Amino acid sequence: MRLRHIEVFHAIMQAGTISGAAQLLHISQPAVTKVLQHCELQLGMPLFDRVRGKLYPTPEAQRLFVEVDKLNRDLVGIRRLAANLKLGECEQVRLVATPAVAMAIVPAAMTPWCKAFPNASCSLATHHTREIVSALLLGEADLALSLQDPRHPGIKTETIASGAMVALCPLGSPEAQEGGPLGLADIRTEIVGLHSDDPLAGLLHHAGEALGQSLASRITVQTYQLARALVEAGVGMTLVDPFTAASADLSKLRVRPLTPAVPVNLHLLTAANAPLGQASRRLVRFITAAAQSHLAGLAGLAELP
């Protein structure tokens, strides 16, 4: 099947009619009919049964559509990438981050960056790591931040800050009565947990398994900020990344490091074949400084008596 055949066949399968396919493709109905006839002639079999002006896919067409639909999605991605490449370089820096990183670190980095580049612009977006990888590969983002290393051959990963997970303990809980490191085996208060597919949840699960300690939770959340907010509201305790913990309300909870330590890395993600421009590189330096400042501040909080 030629590319035009694939486009027309896919459109007909989606629309169900010649006229609907013509509208999707922005071409005339005779053009759609002609391409379909040529496609069926090349394949040597009919793809649709024509009954009273309507088209009904044959079983062969149904099976063919499964693969054609995959190919069509790839073609859409290629067109998006080509359109982004056509735009060329511009003064806009496109940064994408996971929600926790965006809220905890990015704001502190933007003020000095805006002063350093008064004529530049920056678009900020939040996505989960899987969507971030797609945006980088399609040229829809210049750089990204995540606490997860996607381990993708098309993505360059650089660790720009390293810390460890901490416990946020509501005042009045047994865990808040003492200072210093908190052992996972010493946790008694109900834990507000992270969603099972979260990368940090996986690290905690393995750490607990090594100690024979179950960290099951009755309440689970998808964002670290929500976990912190629930603890501040008195709903159990939680274990979160150090960047989220740095802005915790100390009038409502206590921050304690965990033992054994559960490491957390802040990763800079870029497309492997797309070097960063000057404004983007400077933004990375400001983000790194902001992350280090958060970690230093948290170290002070966790050492409070």
Side-chain angles (χ1 to χ4, degrees):
M1 295 176 73
R2 296 180 180 177
L3 178 58
R4 195 55 172 169
H5 293 164
I6 291 172
E7 292 177 328
V8 169
F9 172 68
H10 189 270
I12 295 174
M13 291 291 289
Q14 283 188 312
T17 63
I18 294 293
S19 59
Q23 290 178 354
L24 287 176
L25 297 173
H26 304 290
I27 59 178
S28 67
Q29 294 184 38
V32 172
T33 300
K34 183 177 180 180
V35 173
L36 175 59
Q37 290 173 343
H38 189 263
C39 177
E40 291 179 322
L41 183 64
Q42 271 204 335
L43 291 175
M45 63 180 179
L47 296 174
F48 298 92
D49 293 324
R50 294 149 176 86
V51 181
R52 297 175 184 175
K54 293 185 178 181
L55 299 179
Y56 296 91
T58 63
E60 292 80 10
Q62 294 283 10
R63 293 183 61 184
L64 190 61
F65 179 72
V66 175
E67 299 302 321
V68 166
D69 189 51
K70 296 177 185 177
L71 180 57
N72 187 73
R73 288 197 296 269
D74 291 339
L75 290 173
V76 170
I78 291 172
R79 290 193 182 97
R80 287 167 61 193
L81 176 58
N84 288 321
L85 292 174
K86 183 180 178 181
L87 295 176
E89 294 184 359
C90 62
E91 295 182 358
Q92 185 183 49
V93 176
R94 299 165 299 172
L95 170 64
V96 185
T98 53
V101 174
M103 295 296 293
I105 299 173
V106 173
M110 290 309 300
T111 297
W113 183 84
C114 288
K115 291 180 179 178
F117 293 89
N119 296 321
S121 60
C122 182
S123 68
L124 304 173
T126 59
H127 285 300
H128 294 295
T129 303
R130 181 166 49 189
E131 288 77 18
I132 284 176
V133 169
S134 177
L136 290 170
L137 294 177
L138 291 172
E140 295 176 344
D142 301 309
L143 66 161
L145 302 169
S146 175
L147 300 180
Q148 179 183 5
D149 182 354
R151 302 186 184 278
H152 190 287
I155 300 297
K156 178 183 177 182
T157 304
E158 177 185 351
T159 300
I160 59 176
S162 298
M165 294 190 71
V166 297
L168 302 184
C169 313
L171 298 182
S173 67
E175 293 81 6
Q177 303 310 307
E178 299 181 6
L182 172 65
L184 292 177
D186 297 326
I187 294 176
R188 297 294 178 265
T189 301
E190 185 174 21
I191 295 176
V192 176
L194 304 176
H195 199 271
S196 59
D197 62 357
D198 185 276
L200 297 189
L203 293 177
L204 287 170
H205 177 73
H206 292 311
E209 274 193 336
L211 298 173
Q213 177 77 5
S214 174
L215 298 176
S217 302
R218 185 164 59 99
I219 300 175
T220 58
V221 298
Q222 289 189 324
T223 65
Y224 312 144
Q225 295 94 337
L226 180 55
R228 186 189 67 200
L230 288 173
V231 175
E232 292 172 347
V235 184
M237 63 173 289
T238 193
L239 310 175
V240 295
D241 68 279
F243 308 106
T244 299
S247 55
D249 186 346
L250 296 182
S251 69
K252 299 179 179 178
L253 55 82
R254 185 167 203 162
V255 180
R256 294 184 63 183
L258 292 176
T259 181
V262 180
V264 177
N265 296 318
L266 175 60
H267 300 291
L268 169 68
L269 309 179
T270 56
N273 60 350
L276 295 177
Q278 181 180 357
S280 295
R281 291 197 301 271
R282 181 70 70 88
L283 180 55
V284 171
R285 289 198 288 271
F286 288 132
I287 290 172
T288 302
Q292 297 291 354
S293 177
H294 275 65
L295 292 173
L298 179 65
L301 295 180
E303 291 172 357
L304 290 174

